[in-house]
Amino acid sequence: MADTLTITDNRTGKQYEIPIEHGAIRAMDLRQIRTAADDFGLMTYDPAFQNTANCKSRITFIDGDKGVLLYRGYPIEQLAEHSTYLETAYLLLYGELPTAPQLQTWTKEIAQHTMLHENIKKLMEGFQYDAHPMSIFLSTVGALSTNYPDAKKIADEQARQVNIRRLIAKVPSIAAYAYRHSMGRPYIYPDNALSFPGNFLNMLFRMTEPVYQSNPVLERALDVLFILHADHEQNCSTAAMRGIGSSQADPYSSLAGAAAALYGPLHGGANEAVLRMLKEIGSISHVPDFITRVKRGEGRLMGFGHRVYKSYDPRARIIKQTADAVFEVTGRNPLLDIALELERIALEDDYFVSRKLYPNVDFYSGLIYQAMGFPVEMFPVLFAIPRTAGWLAQWDEMLRDADQKIARPRQVYIGSGPRDFVPVGQRK
Ligand code: ACO
């Protein structure tokens, strides 16, 4: 017998059998519950979508209680150990790990699209010298749609595939240009003989040397961070990507909106906020005082807590190990001791324990980025580069999903009833 939920409407005494599929009922099945012919029907009220599935997806699985994260079934720990970001991006988009020839073709195709049109470079020059690189990034991604009018053909498989490749390839170039702009340094063109993270480091940090050689430990650390950030199912920015994409906007415009959602301090801006918080705390001796203020509600412990994880974020554990490898090359980040002390106290304190608040992916990532020489303003941009693969995989999945329509939530109206307009002179 199929799973059903029986609902009895006390107002009418009527009973309704609502099918349960994959542990969910369809909200539209509630619409039949009404008291009169002109009754709109029962709705669900779910601010911030805390208990509403917006889609069926095959891309990423999270078990927040057990601290499990899988991309297409593969545990994040195994991907972080054995894969590369580009291979993981392919996996997210196409559902399977690529064969050796597929990976070779994919890598070549991405390399073909790393250059930015010179007019995009000129556009970026127009930004204020001290503009936040994330603002530059999201504006420029949106502007790219003007260069690729074929991106509007979202139903055309070939156009979709080429624009997916363009976006994955060009976001590091935009990010690097945004950084160089803020430093007043000349732009560095991509070097396609280098790996994906190696080329990104080249575009960021190359000075007068003819060929840029990155430190292999730092290059690998960046690639691991990219793998960890590549997707995270229906988070705020991915919901934005799907929401904008559902109106059939082109992927550049949709991705600009997703990047804007990522910019906020409660999402991708959190690692920037963590670093600012650690600096403000200043020394280990100030940690207990800071924790007391957080518990009084005078601010949050940034990098702690997650809507889905109610145990240790598995990405935070991998990042902590990566940090050790990076600090062996760069020297220990002095803020690490403050972070470790914050974590130690928070994991013992009832306020955090009872609310199941654990370190999330952003608690330690900023410390690594800072040790590698990135200014804090670049942190959300460093998040957006790999998340581009996840956003595009989710967007592509949505476009292929026959259940999907333009995203259009309902509301519970609690405002004024009908009333007559009052001329300005007669208003009190
Ligand atoms: N510090 C102190 N208290 C916190 C924190 C925190 N970081 N996070 C949650 N709480 C408390 C809340 O005050 C609330 O307490 P209450 O029940 O007494 O009111 C309780 O824990 C539940 O918090 P909510 O805000 O309801 O949890 P929600 O799921 O809405 O928020 C979020 C999740 C936004 C991540 C939150 O934990 C937070 O603001 N964390 C800090 C910012 C951060 O690190 N963001 C990065 C998230 S990961 C990512 O985007 C990649």
Side-chain angles (χ1 to χ4, degrees):
M1 206 185 91
D3 279 349
T4 57
L5 172 74
T6 307
I7 298 177
T8 307
D9 187 343
N10 286 334
R11 301 168 302 174
T12 58
K14 264 183 156 176
Q15 277 204 340
Y16 300 85
E17 291 292 314
I18 310 284
I20 301 175
E21 195 193 351
H22 303 299
I25 59 164
R26 283 182 180 262
M28 282 302 280
D29 284 346
L30 300 177
R31 189 71 75 77
Q32 58 183 304
I33 303 176
R34 27 174 114 191
T35 44
D38 64 348
D39 181 358
F40 177 82
L42 194 65
M43 286 196 299
T44 55
Y45 172 60
D46 187 11
F49 307 117
Q50 294 181 83
N51 196 38
T52 294
N54 171 44
C55 60
K56 291 178 189 159
S57 180
R58 296 174 198 279
I59 302 172
T60 292
F61 172 80
I62 302 173
D63 183 331
D65 290 328
K66 296 197 183 108
V68 171
L69 170 59
L70 312 175
Y71 290 166
R72 300 283 190 180
Y74 293 102
I76 193 68
E77 293 81 0
Q78 290 183 26
L79 292 167
E81 193 177 343
H82 303 295
S83 188
T84 62
Y85 164 67
L86 267 196
E87 185 182 60
T88 300
Y90 184 100
L91 170 71
L92 288 169
L93 279 154
Y94 303 108
E96 296 297 335
L97 286 167
T99 61
Q102 282 170 335
L103 183 59
Q104 203 180 9
T105 308
W106 171 244
T107 307
K108 209 170 118 202
E109 285 172 351
I110 297 296
Q112 270 169 6
H113 290 292
T114 50
M115 293 281 281
L116 293 177
H117 195 291
E118 287 295 299
N119 64 12
I120 289 291
K121 219 178 81 176
K122 285 203 194 105
L123 174 112
M124 294 180 78
E125 276 163 15
F127 286 104
Q128 192 78 346
Y129 73 96
D130 58 353
H132 196 293
M134 189 62 171
S135 303
I136 299 182
F137 178 85
L138 68 93
S139 315
T140 308
V141 167
L144 272 187
S145 75
T146 62
N147 283 40
Y148 304 110
D150 66 332
K152 286 190 174 31
K153 297 188 217 153
I154 53 133
D156 177 333
E157 183 67 33
Q158 213 187 340
R160 207 148 85 200
Q161 292 304 323
V162 75
N163 285 299
I164 284 173
R165 282 155 181 73
R166 281 184 183 133
L167 267 162
I168 290 177
K170 289 184 200 307
V171 286
S173 309
I174 296 173
Y177 278 20
Y179 170 70
R180 303 282 295 200
H181 179 74
S182 68
M183 303 293 283
R185 290 188 186 150
Y187 300 130
I188 302 293
Y189 287 99
D191 180 345
N192 290 337
L194 300 173
S195 70
F196 188 88
N199 173 49
F200 179 49
L201 290 168
N202 157 65
M203 291 190 291
L204 287 164
F205 298 129
R206 192 175 131 208
M207 297 303 280
T208 53
E209 64 272 40
V211 176
Y212 181 81
Q213 289 275 315
S214 61
N215 181 299
V217 175
L218 302 187
E219 191 178 313
R220 178 62 195 157
L222 191 61
D223 215 26
V224 169
L225 284 160
F226 281 178
I227 293 170
L228 300 182
H229 285 89
D231 194 47
H232 213 232
E233 52 117 310
Q234 309 312 312
N235 53 82
C236 176
S237 56
T238 301
M241 181 83 195
R242 280 181 175 260
I244 300 169
S246 77
S247 76
Q248 303 189 348
D250 69 80
Y252 299 95
S253 306
S254 304
L255 210 131
L262 187 69
Y263 193 5
L266 295 189
H267 190 13
N271 51 10
E272 183 177 346
V274 170
L275 255 273
R276 292 190 198 286
M277 174 189 77
L278 294 175
K279 262 201 186 146
E280 188 197 310
I281 296 172
S283 103
I284 291 185
S285 61
H286 298 152
V287 168
D289 193 42
F290 180 78
I291 294 270
T292 307
R293 280 192 280 137
V294 168
K295 284 159 60 177
R296 277 205 303 256
E298 294 168 20
R300 292 203 156 188
L301 176 49
M302 300 310 287
F304 258 67
H306 199 275
R307 173 63 57 78
V308 179
Y309 292 118
K310 300 301 168 199
S311 73
Y312 215 98
D313 180 339
R315 301 168 300 172
R317 194 168 280 123
I318 301 166
I319 287 187
K320 224 172 151 183
Q321 291 158 7
T322 308
D324 292 337
V326 168
F327 295 155
E328 273 193 28
V329 175
T330 61
R332 198 176 159 86
N333 187 326
L335 296 176
L336 177 68
D337 294 322
I338 301 175
L340 288 170
E341 181 64 1
L342 272 175
E343 181 184 343
R344 191 189 66 76
I345 297 188
L347 292 183
E348 284 175 357
D349 191 299
D350 188 55
Y351 174 93
F352 297 92
V353 175
S354 62
R355 289 171 178 77
K356 299 190 176 167
L357 300 171
Y358 293 88
N360 60 48
V361 68
D362 283 325
F363 193 62
Y364 289 105
S365 62
L367 290 170
I368 302 183
Y369 290 142
Q370 195 182 49
M372 288 173 77
F374 292 108
V376 285
E377 292 76 19
M378 277 300 285
F379 294 179
V381 182
L382 292 166
F383 194 155
I385 293 170
R387 186 53 62 88
T388 295
W391 288 330
L392 290 168
Q394 300 271 351
W395 169 76
D396 192 62
E397 185 179 63
M398 180 202 65
L399 293 177
R400 293 172 196 278
D401 182 349
D403 276 356
Q404 293 295 336
K405 287 171 178 275
I406 185 167
R408 204 313 187 176
R410 311 289 322 193
Q411 66 168 6
V412 177
Y413 179 70
I414 54 168
S416 166
R419 48 185 174 159
D420 290 326
F421 180 81
V422 181
V424 66
Q426 294 170 26
R427 290 175 210 160
K428 295 190 189 113

